[in-house]
Amino acid sequence: MGEIDESREFIPVRIAVLTVSDTRSLGEDRSGAALVSRIQDAGHTLVDRRILPDSRELISRQLREWCADARIDAVISTGGTGLTGRDVTVEAHREIYEKEIDAFGTVFAIVSMRKIGTSAVQSRATGGVAQGTYLFALPGSPGACRDAWDEILAPQFDYRHRPCNFVEIIPRLEEHRRRK
């Protein structure tokens, strides 16, 4: 298990949150609200928050826009990771990934199994990197968002987390572009 190295200074991560839903409004978005409160409580910066319908084109466009925004280090989406015909968030994410973080889905499934048993098999949570920006697609339930944040993303977005974390490699995510 990892641990926090108190000798290191905390570095806030700049995060955008996207809720994918055909029916929710900002006032009804409990999953997005759960992420926002956890992001801010951890000391990170919420740069933007949006709600979009289940449209692969709209989701991809928003992800690309945020990846091109130098003010954003990470994007977390919630909703659209299931198995129904309208669930297209995973496809939208994978369309723009330069690298997929394969273990994210596996670790999320392990965390979910402890909470909801074999129902965890119905989630297609995913993570990746594009244009130096981390992207994570979480299920649309508040519980799944809390679990993903508390048990995976919070430690990985904490620069003090040892033995390693996402924050310390942010400057190197696009090093392949600088070599040209």
Side-chain angles (χ1 to χ4, degrees):
M1 292 297 236
E3 60 184 49
I4 297 296
D5 179 350
E6 296 292 346
S7 70
R8 297 181 90 180
E9 186 175 330
F10 179 81
I11 298 173
V13 176
R14 301 164 302 179
I15 303 171
V17 172
L18 173 63
T19 298
V20 177
S21 174
D22 287 332
T23 59
R24 291 184 197 158
S25 66
L26 203 56
E28 300 163 328
D29 180 20
R30 296 183 327 140
S31 298
L35 287 169
V36 167
S37 70
R38 279 171 159 68
I39 287 164
Q40 293 174 328
D41 289 349
H44 300 295
T45 304
L46 179 69
V47 177
D48 201 355
R49 179 180 179 192
R50 305 265 171 100
I51 296 179
L52 290 177
D54 294 279
S55 162
R56 184 173 175 173
E57 180 183 331
L58 293 176
I59 297 163
S60 293
R61 185 181 310 143
Q62 184 63 67
L63 295 176
R64 286 181 204 283
E65 181 182 310
W66 279 338
C67 286
D69 187 335
R71 299 172 307 139
I72 297 173
D73 301 312
V75 175
I76 305 171
S77 69
T78 173
T81 64
L83 303 172
T84 72
R86 296 289 294 155
D87 292 323
V88 296
T89 303
V90 173
E91 288 75 18
H93 270 252
R94 288 185 172 146
E95 184 178 306
I96 66 167
Y97 287 169
E98 293 167 0
K99 295 186 180 203
E100 189 160 356
I101 305 171
D102 297 313
F104 179 78
T106 302
V107 173
F108 181 78
I110 292 167
V111 168
S112 295
M113 278 285 297
R114 293 193 310 248
K115 308 281 177 140
I116 62 172
T118 61
S119 294
V121 76
Q122 293 188 33
S123 171
R124 298 182 303 135
T126 185
V129 177
Q131 294 181 265
T133 304
Y134 289 108
L135 300 151
F136 297 96
L138 308 178
S141 78
C145 290
R146 287 189 297 267
D147 293 344
W149 179 266
D150 295 348
E151 300 203 33
I152 305 169
L153 297 175
Q156 283 299 299
F157 283 147
D158 192 330
Y159 179 70
R160 303 166 302 167
H161 185 266
R162 293 304 206 179
C164 58
N165 59 75
F166 289 146
V167 181
E168 63 194 355
I169 61 173
I170 287 174
R172 298 185 357 236
L173 292 177
E174 291 195 284
E175 64 190 358
H176 63 288
R177 296 184 199 286
R178 291 189 296 271
R179 288 188 196 150
K180 295 181 181 179

